[in-house]
Amino acid sequence: MLEALKVLLLGIVEGITEWLPISSTGHLILVEEFIKLNLGKDFISMFNVVIQLGAIMAVVVIYFNKLNPFAPSKNSKQRDMTIQLWIKVLIASVPAAIIGLLFDDYIDEHFMNYTVVATTLIIYGIAFIVIENMHKGKQPTVRKISDLTIPMVLGIGVFQVLALIPGTSRSGATIIGGLLIGASRAVAAEFTFYLAIPVMFGASFLKLLKFGFHFESLEMILLLFGCVVSFAVSYFAIKFLMKYIKNHDFKVFGYYRIVLGIIVFIYFGLTVAFAA
């Protein structure tokens, strides 16, 4: 029962922070300091990635009609546009897929630490504030997903590579990339959701392969439970974000990231100092 309560909290944290541009990794490392699963280290590492599958299913459910080229309600032109959308998503996924496959173990070994996480939280927090100030009063040049060109989506894909560094936030990096190419906040956020589908499915599958598929019954139950919680919370987090950015900018998330980064620095810095 205690482990299930821990998984419940971790699923809630994942569901909220995966889509808001505030870094799920930054939050999970803090939460895990106080709530530790009494399971193997390899399982926990895999769990933190695979519960993203629940979050991804929330995107699929919310945008199923937009993402389904074979929806009966669509005419031939709409089907073609949906297929073009998937082509753009796959093209944008290529940079992160290549770099992720080549450097996944290296990144886990050298960058999964509080110093990197806190630093990236603060850097991208500042970036959100600066970019929003730069765009203040300006009209976006890209107001619809269909207006995104291949060079544009490839550029967003390059920004997604930055999210391989823990603490960056995948949604944060790609939204920043979208804003910089002139996309509206809604377009940048929505394309980020779509882009997460192949990337996070791929990352989860890779972690499952490394861990193996030999789960104990408790591990399987907790993993499935975490996915369900992540799905439910993600559904409302996505709805909230899309409604919020209709009338607000991303600066509040920038300030939040800076504060969280400082907290991470202080907490772990003191922990290391007292341990010494």
Side-chain angles (χ1 to χ4, degrees), residues 16-17 20-24 26-27 121 167 169 171-172 253 256-257 260:
I16 294 173
T17 60
L20 304 187
I22 53 179
S23 173
S24 58
H27 287 78
L121 279 168
S169 169
S171 62
F253 300 111
Y256 179 87
R257 289 178 63 103
L260 180 63

Side-chain angles (χ1 to χ4, degrees), residues 90-263:
L90 292 175
I91 289 172
S93 302
V94 170
I98 293 173
I99 301 301
L101 286 171
L102 291 176
F103 297 101
D104 181 61
D105 291 334
Y106 182 88
I107 290 170
D108 282 348
E109 182 179 350
H110 293 87
F111 295 107
M112 187 59 76
N113 59 73
Y114 84 88
T115 304
V116 171
V117 170
T119 301
T120 51
L121 279 168
I122 294 171
I123 288 174
Y124 288 96
I126 295 171
F128 266 116
I129 296 169
V130 170
I131 290 169
E132 285 289 9
N133 286 337
M134 287 170 52
H135 287 183
K136 189 174 182 179
K138 296 181 180 179
Q139 294 298 316
T141 56
V142 179
R143 296 176 176 272
K144 298 183 296 184
I145 292 284
S146 58
D147 292 336
L148 290 170
T149 64
I150 297 300
M152 286 178 176
V153 299
L154 193 57
I156 294 173
V158 170
F159 268 86
Q160 185 169 236
V161 173
L162 299 174
L164 294 172
I165 305 300
T168 299
S169 169
R170 193 202 58 79
S171 62
T174 51
I175 286 173
I176 285 175
L179 294 176
L180 285 175
I181 66 167
S184 68
R185 298 184 188 96
V187 168
E190 189 173 329
F191 190 73
T192 290
F193 299 153
Y194 300 158
L195 189 54
I197 296 174
V199 170
M200 289 167 64
F201 266 120
S204 297
F205 183 68
L206 184 62
K207 284 292 184 182
L208 282 170
L209 281 180
K210 288 183 178 180
F211 179 79
F213 293 87
H214 307 292
F215 295 99
E216 296 180 4
S217 57
L218 176 61
E219 292 176 336
M220 178 60 74
I221 292 170
L222 292 176
L223 184 59
L224 291 175
F225 180 50
C227 287
V228 171
V229 174
S230 176
F231 165 80
V233 177
S234 289
Y235 184 91
F236 292 104
I238 292 169
K239 292 282 190 179
F240 163 78
L241 181 62
M242 295 307 291
K243 183 178 180 180
Y244 177 85
I245 60 177
K246 285 182 179 179
N247 300 306
H248 303 84
D249 58 29
F250 285 104
K251 284 198 286 189
V252 65
F253 300 111
Y255 292 121
Y256 179 87
R257 289 178 63 103
I258 293 169
V259 172
L260 180 63
I262 293 171
I263 291 172

Side-chain angles (χ1 to χ4, degrees), residues 17-67:
T17 60
E18 188 60 53
W19 304 113
L20 304 187
I22 53 179
S23 173
S24 58
T25 303
H27 287 78
L28 285 173
I29 66 166
L30 274 177
V31 172
E32 288 170 355
E33 276 296 298
F34 304 99
I35 300 176
K36 297 182 182 294
L37 290 173
N38 293 319
L39 297 165
K41 182 179 179 181
D42 290 340
F43 174 81
I44 294 172
S45 175
M46 180 273 297
F47 173 87
N48 287 340
V49 174
V50 176
I51 59 169
Q52 295 174 344
L53 290 176
I56 280 298
M57 289 310 298
V59 175
V60 174
V61 169
I62 293 172
Y63 294 103
F64 183 76
N65 189 60
K66 284 189 176 183
L67 294 170

